[in-house]
Amino acid sequence: MKFTASSKLRSGVRAIFSVVALGALSGPLRAWTPGVASPEAIGSPAQPLTVNTADRNDVLSFYQCIYNASEGYAAKLNWTGNVAACNAGTTGAAFKDDVRRRINWFRAMSGIPADIVFDSTFNANAQAAALIMAEHGNLSHTPGASFGMSGCWTAAGETGANKGNLALGSYGPQAIIQYMEDGGSGNTSVGHRRWVLYPNITKMGTGDIPELGSYPYAAGEHYDGNCLYVVDSASNRPSGGGFASWPPPGFVPVEHVYPRWSLHYNSAVSGTPTFGSANVAMTVAATGAVVPVSITSRYVGGATTGDPALVWTPNWSAFGGSPPLETRFQISVSGITAGSSGAPTSHTYYVTPINPNAIADPITISGTPTPPTSGAAYSFTPLTGIGAESYEVGVAPVVTAVVSEGAEDNPAPQILDGTSASYDLRPTLTPLYGSPGAYSGSRSFHLTIPDFNDPLQSFEINRNLIPSPTSELQFYELFRFSTTGSRLSAQVSTDGGGSWTEVWGKNGNGSGSTSGWVKVWGFHGISLGAYAGQVIRIRFTYSYTGSIFTGTAPEDGVYVDAATVTGAQSLGTETISPLAGSATGFTLNAATAGGPLVAGQQYFLRVRPILGCHTFGFGSHLAVTAQTPPPGFATWMAANYPSIALNGFADNPDADALTNGGEYAFGGNPGKPDNVTPGLGSGTTGAYSIGFDTASLPYVPHGISYGARSSTDLANWTPLTDTGTGTKHSFTVPSAGPRQFVRWVITLTP
């Protein structure tokens, strides 16, 4: 790890690695069910992890329920040691489960056996090794030779260092991520990744030391670190044969599509096949557009050094600098020398980077845009693939609101705080070294990077906004200590926060001196016209790539004030109603709307899925406006026949051939047996017609559907097609034998 001369600047590299090497293998598919066991229990030795990476929704479910179950690991650490006293201590069982689950998540995604268990002796050796590294602030697989057998050196620590992946600057599940990324100039053969993904391994061990203090470290303070004990040939399973890769085939969360790609081959024949003459071609599967690649390593492998591997780096310059989401890439490796392994000489597979927090299926709602205040039924398109465990429907009235969020206590801002608990999002901001105080009032929103464990800081305006074509996001920003690798970003989400799009961004000024600070607030007005009519969320984020000034003092980071959205509407209080897992529809009524529907009020209807222990964002909305039902059957009955108005549509108090609904449809009298049913009309030879024109009535029969059916035996009835137009209804009755029966079908619709 390297540091600049400035005491404020810390390298963005989270871990240092030494070079080791092994490989990976193909394996089975999915065998876990969300909800059957808790996410913490899933992935235990009794339930090995598998996932179908060809099913996008299965990958989403697996990520949310398994990968995310290992987040929040720091709260479970329960470390009992002390570096100053050379006490390695122990860590909590739940914390170790988080590390093991993260390992098995990566292995399952890669298609290799994901049933790793931790050995208590391996854990103890790894813990002793992590202690040595934290004490020395450096890494070595042979610490006795490198650092001397003094201080916190122990024989157990030497063993752990000899047989483990080593990281400094991260611990726990975060260290597993660093091993999988395997960045840095010394890791071109991605040896740490191949140890994590080595299919033969059945047992590992983890040792973890948390950071004490912050860089630059004072006496008694130290780095955080990890040792992952991986070399255990005694309990290895036999080689299975086959390719494995990272990223693996199928759908892969984009955050784990690292700069270096690798393909490995696990074989019982040591060191074969070889990739010395192999070539890699990457293209966009749909268009054939070429992704240039640079091969960085052709790892030979061997009896004690693991599987052969090919490592390359794609060049994403033509794609905006990073792998584009939802784009399927074809990877073709040719020129493989099989040797005696029996491996194929070429291998082709496909990878699609995805956002694991967003669904791709379009959940659209169908139904009337003008429901009566009495309610209406709606349907929606369900998820494909493994499907959702259940759905929720959201109904909210559209309201006009002034959206202006300052950081003052009064009025309290409507925001969601996504910052670290180590500092105040809304501090009192006073002038400092020529930098002004708060733009308005006494407080401003503060975003800063406290340390490398909190790489993204944010706050979100807690409103569902509906911009107009002229709407703008307006705000003021002020940078203090900030590197050019840090970035303040204003972002918009159209799926309830599942995915975000930057609409404005600015990098820091790179000044490590107060003389380089900008001395005035910068104003920005960003058009939201592209989102007109959509439901959006807005947030501000502060993140970094590369180096960053860390700290939470008033001079650190960036400030935002007076965030305003002009010319927009917003959703009022949204009522969320759970639906049964198999439901593909719902009823809009007083229950789902949170109160009686109001005539003339516009409502937005939205549906969101629950999949893999996670509630995803809403699909597209349907805007509806409630209407007062036009005068219909009930009004007609009450106005004309009050004495029998309590009788329903299907009742027949006058005992004639027509129910009350039929009397209303054909202009009869429900209190008099008048039998006004239209009869047969003329027709072609062997066919007849019946018809009726509602224009003949003194009123318009609202909510009535006219139909007809025919039969030859009074048991089986065939619907007839209405060929009438406008107010006329006409049905042709085909001839079918000596007897033909016809009846009207009158239906009351909402």
Side-chain angles (χ1 to χ4, degrees), residues 148-241:
M149 291 181 287
S150 60
C152 295
W153 184 92
T154 58
E158 183 79 18
T159 299
N162 291 166
K163 298 189 175 184
N165 281 357
L166 301 174
L168 199 64
S170 64
Y171 70 95
Q174 182 64 30
I176 306 306
I177 294 174
Q178 299 304 318
Y179 296 140
M180 287 298 299
E181 182 172 3
D182 234 357
S185 59
N187 298 309
T188 55
S189 65
V190 294
H192 304 88
R193 175 189 300 175
R194 290 183 290 108
W195 271 115
V196 174
L197 298 181
Y198 187 45
N200 304 47
I201 294 178
T202 62
K203 295 180 180 180
M204 295 184 185
T206 186
D208 298 273
I209 303 291
E211 184 180 41
L212 178 62
S214 59
Y215 183 83
Y217 296 109
E221 296 180 339
H222 55 78
Y223 284 110
D224 44 354
N226 168 270
C227 173
L228 184 67
Y229 194 110
V230 291
V231 181
D232 175 38
S233 58
S235 61
N236 281 357
R237 71 187 103 223
S239 297

Side-chain angles (χ1 to χ4, degrees), residues 269-364:
V269 182
S270 177
T272 59
T274 59
F275 296 96
S277 301
N279 294 305
V280 180
M282 284 185 63
T283 58
V284 176
T287 66
V290 174
V291 182
V293 301
S294 299
I295 294 178
T296 59
S297 175
R298 302 176 185 272
Y299 191 75
V300 176
T304 60
T305 56
D307 294 335
L310 184 66
V311 185
W312 65 94
T313 302
N315 184 336
W316 301 110
S317 299
F319 300 87
S322 60
L325 290 172
E326 307 301 337
T327 301
R328 189 169 184 248
F329 294 96
Q330 176 179 298
I331 300 92
S332 297
V333 180
S334 59
I336 302 170
T337 302
S340 57
S341 67
T345 57
S346 63
H347 183 62
T348 297
Y349 59 102
Y350 298 85
V351 174
T352 304
I354 64 171
N355 177 355
N357 298 308
I359 59 172
D361 294 298
I363 297 182
T364 57

Side-chain angles (χ1 to χ4, degrees), residues 447 456-457 459 472-479 482 486-493 500-509 518 520-528 530-531 537-543 557-561 563-564:
L447 297 174
L456 178 69
Q457 303 292 297
F459 71 90
E472 279 193 349
L473 169 62
Q474 300 177 350
F475 61 94
Y476 293 82
E477 51 78 15
L478 180 71
F479 281 84
S482 54
S486 63
R487 187 168 181 84
L488 175 65
S489 175
Q491 301 175 344
V492 167
S493 174
W500 295 89
T501 300
E502 182 179 272
V503 294
W504 174 90
K506 180 180 177 180
N507 285 11
N509 53 39
V518 176
V520 295
W521 285 91
F523 171 78
H524 305 279
I526 312 302
S527 173
L528 298 176
Y531 299 97
R537 305 279 293 183
I538 294 174
R539 74 173 182 178
F540 292 88
T541 67
Y542 189 55
S543 59
V558 65
Y559 293 86
V560 176
D561 211 338
T564 301

Side-chain angles (χ1 to χ4, degrees), residues 432-446:
L432 184 66
Y433 302 117
S435 177
Y439 174 77
S440 62
S442 62
R443 297 177 181 271
S444 296
F445 297 109
H446 186 200

